Amino acid sequence: MSYKIAVIIQEIGQSYQSAIISGIYAGAEKYGLNVSAFTSFSGDMNNPRHDMGEFNVFSLPDFSDFDGAILLTNTLSHKVVVNDILERIKIAGIPAVSIDNDLEGFYHIGIDNKSAMRIITEHMINVHNYKRFAYISGPASNPESADRLEAFLEVINEHGLTLHEKAVAKGDFRAPSGKAAVEQFLDEMPEMPEAIVCANDVMAASAITTLMSHGLRVPEDIAVTGFDNTYNSHNYQMELTSVERPLEQSGELACKMLYNHFNNIPQDRDVTLNMSPRFTESCGCGHNALSDLTELKELNYRNFSNFENIQTYMSVLNRMSTQLLECNNFDEYIACLKRIAVDIHPDEFYFCLCENWDSENDVDRTTSRHIRRTSVPVAYTDYVIVPIAYNNGEFHECCRIRSQDIFPPVADSSKEGKLYLINPLHFGERCLGYMVIRSTNLPLQNIMFETFCINISNSLENIRKLMCLEYAVKRLGSLYTMDTFSGIFNRNGFMQATEDIYNECIEKHRDIMLMFIDLDGLKGINDTYGHSTGDKAICSIADVLVESCQNGEIFCRFGGDEFIVFGADYTAEKAQQLTDIIQENINGVNESGYNPFILSASTGYVIASPKEGEDIFSFVTAADKQMYDAKRKKKLLRYA
């Protein structure tokens, strides 16, 4: 039996998340699990609207459709989103494994952050005799970050050391915050610390680079330590003193714990994995530095291969961005994206769009600066369209699926041990859809995959705006040609619609008919029932013309309560027949009893053979005269 597992994770391009995802992938293959990783890229854009669109992907899974879940809630920065996810998992009643955050009712895989940070800090004091310290923390809301900072401060206090008030910088586990922290220390501390302890490797590596850019040597002038041991293999300047933690093992073990649960294999709820400090160059220890030539060659080869992959992938990204932005309509866009899908060789790729993805609704910014209403679609529709469904090297037809199902029916469900990434498609908070990708070739756990996703979302929004512009142009054209009051042509529309056929009648000496129609007794209706009822009378005549003119006639509201009808190849007999049909339909309106008034109209028409230079409206006067004759006769009969 194949089990479906949902993974909740943010920022898979970061070293920590990437290593755990690799472990989950290995565990999925080992234990026959099919994993759907719902992932977002948010928090580093400094754009709350973008983050809202990214976080929306976590609302997509219906956890009752999954057999289990793996959570990395410590990677999510939004507490409301986290609480919503946890509540939905509890309601679904499925087993879940939380990595690093110990959550009540869930399996837990963690490490002893405090002990590891104590070992690092005590090493710096006891072995290297450093006295002046600074610290770069992770997010205050992150439990691991809080534990590491607490342990660092405990050791500092236990050794009777003091910290300058600006010696603790708030970071977010990303490289820019490591740089910003060092700049803070340089600007605001009276003298630089002897050692900087960092809550993770990414910030530590950035701190080293920044120190060196200011002419400071590491570790001679300032020592630096990290945490997680995820960055040393990428740091070309020196080996980084850090704490090695089994991140890949955490991911694989999470899969094993779910497998054990499904198969009723006894196990502990809480597992704490061992960690080991690595004291190397950046703190002043050199005995673990790379010295084996073979190992150095392998490291250089891996780095060079990674560089080549980056170059290749960047070329694909640049080409993709250019080609997608050149598309002028949706069909071109989908055709282009299909070509790109072939170029990047995914194992499976599904492009799923909300049914309202091309909505013209926009943010209402006319309200108070503190209160903003929005009509932008910010949630997934119950159904999504799937213009691209690609697997096994082929494109498949798949028009519409339930968004709850995530995957179209053509998804390859025959194999176990697969890992899918589900990423949001959005622009700001506007929800456009999502895409599913499974690949053994693409570097999905890479910051460039974020660029890939952003390029697709932005280009899709570009197409949406082009479509909306086309809609707007059509509406403007409609406003120019249509009488918005009655819903039929106005004079401009009548002129455009009749121009070609009228000119052809002139050229080929064909007869035309022009009929003039005038609503009877409009003033009396207005005076008796009000102008809104009079407006209904005008619209009723328009409706009668729509129903009556079924043989290619063209008609419009000429103005006020006046209408004209044009017909080609008409005889007096046909014109009289149309007059009779119009009167019959007026009688039908009156018999329906829908209106409080009696609908009545007078008609007159002329049959003519137009000549060069004669305007179509030149026949209106003659038809108008015929109409008035009919109206006068009607009045005489009424008073006779």
Side-chain angles (χ1 to χ4, degrees):
M1 176 180 178
S2 176
Y3 295 100
K4 293 170 56 181
I5 309 301
V7 172
I8 301 297
I9 187 171
Q10 183 180 329
E11 299 285 1
I12 58 172
Q14 299 293 325
S15 300
Y16 169 85
Q17 292 93 318
S18 176
I20 293 178
I21 279 288
S22 294
I24 291 174
Y25 188 24
E29 289 185 319
K30 186 174 183 178
Y31 297 105
L33 309 177
N34 283 330
V35 175
S36 298
F38 297 86
T39 183
S40 72
F41 299 101
S42 50
D44 60 348
M45 298 291 180
N46 194 28
N47 185 337
R49 293 177 60 195
H50 175 84
D51 290 352
M52 186 187 301
E54 287 287 319
F55 280 132
N56 199 34
V57 75
F58 299 126
S59 70
L60 186 59
D62 182 341
F63 289 108
S64 63
D65 289 337
F66 289 88
D67 301 298
I70 299 173
L71 310 177
L72 282 83
T73 56
N74 62 324
T75 67
L76 273 65
S77 57
H78 203 298
K79 285 186 177 181
V80 174
V81 174
V82 172
N83 291 338
D84 176 68
I85 291 169
L86 299 181
E87 182 65 22
R88 286 158 51 211
I89 289 176
K90 289 177 181 177
I91 292 173
I94 61 173
V97 180
S98 175
I99 296 178
D100 291 329
N101 273 0
D102 192 355
L103 303 171
E104 183 180 353
F106 295 164
Y107 291 106
H108 173 242
I109 300 171
I111 60 170
D112 189 345
N113 282 281
K114 286 189 175 182
S115 295
M117 182 56 78
R118 288 185 66 90
I119 291 172
I120 285 284
T121 309
E122 287 173 345
H123 172 83
M124 302 297 280
I125 295 171
N126 297 331
V127 175
H128 296 290
N129 200 34
Y130 296 128
K131 304 295 184 184
R132 296 193 314 276
F133 281 85
Y135 187 85
I136 305 177
S137 76
S141 61
N142 184 288
E144 288 197 298
S145 172
D147 285 346
R148 294 172 194 178
L149 175 58
E150 183 179 345
F152 167 76
L153 294 175
E154 284 176 357
V155 174
I156 292 296
N157 291 331
E158 289 168 5
H159 286 79
L161 302 178
T162 58
L163 290 173
H164 187 268
E165 62 179 354
K166 297 294 185 180
V168 177
K170 297 178 181 178
D172 60 4
F173 287 149
R174 297 181 176 89
S177 62
K179 179 180 185 299
V182 170
E183 299 291 353
Q184 173 186 316
F185 300 150
L186 288 169
D187 291 341
E188 301 181 8
M189 293 182 68
E191 57 180 329
M192 284 299 288
E194 297 172 301
I196 300 175
V197 177
C198 303
N200 80 339
D201 289 350
V202 175
M203 295 188 298
S206 177
I208 291 173
T209 301
T210 307
L211 289 168
M212 289 184 169
S213 71
H214 285 278
L216 295 168
R217 298 169 299 165
V218 178
E220 290 84 358
D221 297 322
I222 301 176
V224 177
T225 67
F227 205 100
D228 292 339
N229 197 42
T230 58
Y231 203 85
N232 68 313
S233 62
H234 305 294
N235 186 6
Y236 63 87
Q237 297 178 86
M238 65 182 62
E239 277 199 291
L240 183 62
T241 290
S242 185
V243 177
E244 186 168 7
R245 63 186 297 183
L247 294 173
E248 290 194 24
Q249 183 185 349
S250 297
E252 185 172 341
L253 180 57
C255 293
K256 181 181 179 181
M257 293 179 83
L258 289 175
Y259 176 84
N260 289 345
H261 180 93
F262 299 144
N263 292 278
N264 298 313
I265 300 173
Q267 61 183 337
D268 293 331
R269 184 198 77 84
D270 187 5
V271 177
T272 301
L273 299 178
N274 294 325
M275 302 181 67
S276 56
R278 298 183 75 255
F279 303 116
T280 59
E281 291 179 277
S282 71
C283 73
C285 295
H287 61 276
N288 281 335
L290 286 174
S291 57
D292 182 80
L293 184 60
T294 301
E295 186 179 354
L296 181 62
K297 286 181 177 179
E298 288 178 357
L299 176 60
N300 287 337
Y301 175 75
R302 287 197 302 270
N303 287 340
F304 181 73
S305 297
N306 186 52
F307 176 77
E308 282 192 320
N309 288 336
I310 289 174
Q311 291 291 95
T312 301
Y313 199 31
M314 281 302 299
S315 176
V316 171
L317 286 178
N318 290 336
R319 186 168 66 252
M320 178 189 79
S321 179
T322 301
Q323 291 175 353
L324 290 177
L325 289 175
E326 286 179 348
C327 297
N328 294 311
N329 55 60
F330 184 65
D331 290 338
E332 285 184 15
Y333 181 84
I334 292 301
C336 181
L337 197 53
K338 283 183 175 181
R339 292 193 297 271
I340 291 166
V342 172
D343 287 344
I344 62 178
H345 305 295
D347 298 303
E348 297 179 61
F349 179 67
Y350 307 110
F351 193 68
C352 308
L353 299 178
C354 295
E355 290 189 306
N356 62 355
W357 78 272
D358 57 347
S359 166
E360 296 179 86
N361 292 346
D362 205 351
V363 173
D364 180 0
R365 294 187 175 84
T366 62
T367 55
S368 164
R369 57 180 295 191
H370 301 295
I371 303 174
R372 188 183 70 189
R373 297 193 305 269
T374 176
S375 55
V376 169
V378 295
Y380 291 99
T381 49
D382 292 337
Y383 287 83
V384 292
I385 58 174
V386 188
I388 301 178
Y390 180 81
N391 64 35
N392 296 322
E394 295 181 359
F395 290 102
H396 303 268
E397 290 295 326
C398 183
C399 296
R400 188 171 179 262
I401 63 170
R402 295 190 310 166
S403 55
Q404 175 184 334
D405 295 333
I406 311 294
F407 302 92
V410 297
D412 187 2
S413 58
S414 59
K415 294 191 299 183
E416 297 177 349
K418 296 183 296 183
L419 174 67
Y420 294 93
L421 294 184
I422 295 95
N423 290 87
L425 294 169
H426 69 99
F427 188 80
E429 68 267 57
R430 181 186 295 278
C431 182
L432 301 173
Y434 62 91
M435 63 180 178
V436 181
I437 188 165
R438 180 175 74 89
S439 178
T440 54
N441 301 315
L442 290 175
L444 300 179
Q445 292 143 243
N446 188 296
I447 191 65
M448 285 183 295
F449 183 58
E450 178 178 2
T451 305
F452 174 85
C453 296
I454 290 174
N455 279 347
I456 289 182
S457 286
N458 287 350
S459 59
L460 182 61
E461 170 66 5
N462 183 61
I463 289 298
R464 187 194 68 83
K465 286 178 177 174
L466 287 176
M467 292 171 65
C468 290
L469 181 61
E470 185 177 340
Y471 299 153
V473 169
K474 288 181 178 179
R475 281 199 302 273
L476 286 173
S478 177
L479 289 173
Y480 177 75
T481 60
M482 301 299 292
D483 176 42
T484 55
F485 177 72
S486 64
I488 63 176
F489 279 133
N490 58 21
R491 290 195 191 191
N492 293 324
F494 182 82
M495 284 292 294
Q496 288 186 9
T498 59
E499 182 178 11
D500 289 342
I501 190 169
Y502 180 73
N503 289 335
E504 185 178 319
C505 288
I506 293 174
E507 181 181 342
K508 296 184 177 180
H509 307 292
R510 293 160 55 188
D511 287 344
I512 67 162
M513 180 274 298
L514 194 79
M515 180 179 290
F516 197 97
I517 303 167
D518 185 74
L519 176 62
D520 294 333
L522 178 61
K523 185 179 184 304
I525 295 173
N526 286 334
D527 292 344
T528 304
Y529 303 104
H531 285 275
S532 61
T533 303
D535 292 343
K536 289 182 181 179
I538 294 173
C539 291
S540 293
I541 294 296
D543 293 339
V544 164
L545 291 179
V546 171
E547 187 177 353
S548 304
C549 299
Q550 299 291 321
N551 294 302
E553 296 88 357
I554 300 169
F555 50 92
C556 77
R557 182 183 177 206
F558 191 65
D561 58 353
E562 300 172 335
F563 300 81
I564 57 175
V565 180
F566 167 86
D569 300 317
Y570 248 73
T571 62
E573 182 181 1
K574 287 180 64 176
Q576 187 57 51
Q577 288 176 352
L578 178 60
T579 301
D580 295 340
I581 291 172
I582 291 172
Q583 187 57 55
E584 288 175 7
N585 287 326
I586 289 175
N587 293 339
V589 171
N590 291 328
E591 290 169 3
S592 71
Y594 179 76
N595 296 314
F597 54 83
I598 298 299
L599 187 66
S600 176
S602 299
T603 62
Y605 61 84
V606 293
I607 305 295
S609 181
K611 298 178 176 56
E612 195 72 36
E614 284 184 315
D615 184 271
I616 191 171
F617 288 116
S618 63
F619 300 99
V620 169
T621 301
D624 184 32
K625 184 178 181 303
Q626 294 295 324
M627 182 276 298
Y628 270 110
D629 287 345
K631 187 182 289 282
R632 189 166 49 253
K633 290 178 182 177
K634 191 181 296 184
K635 286 182 179 180
L636 291 174
L637 288 174
R638 185 181 307 146
Y639 295 115

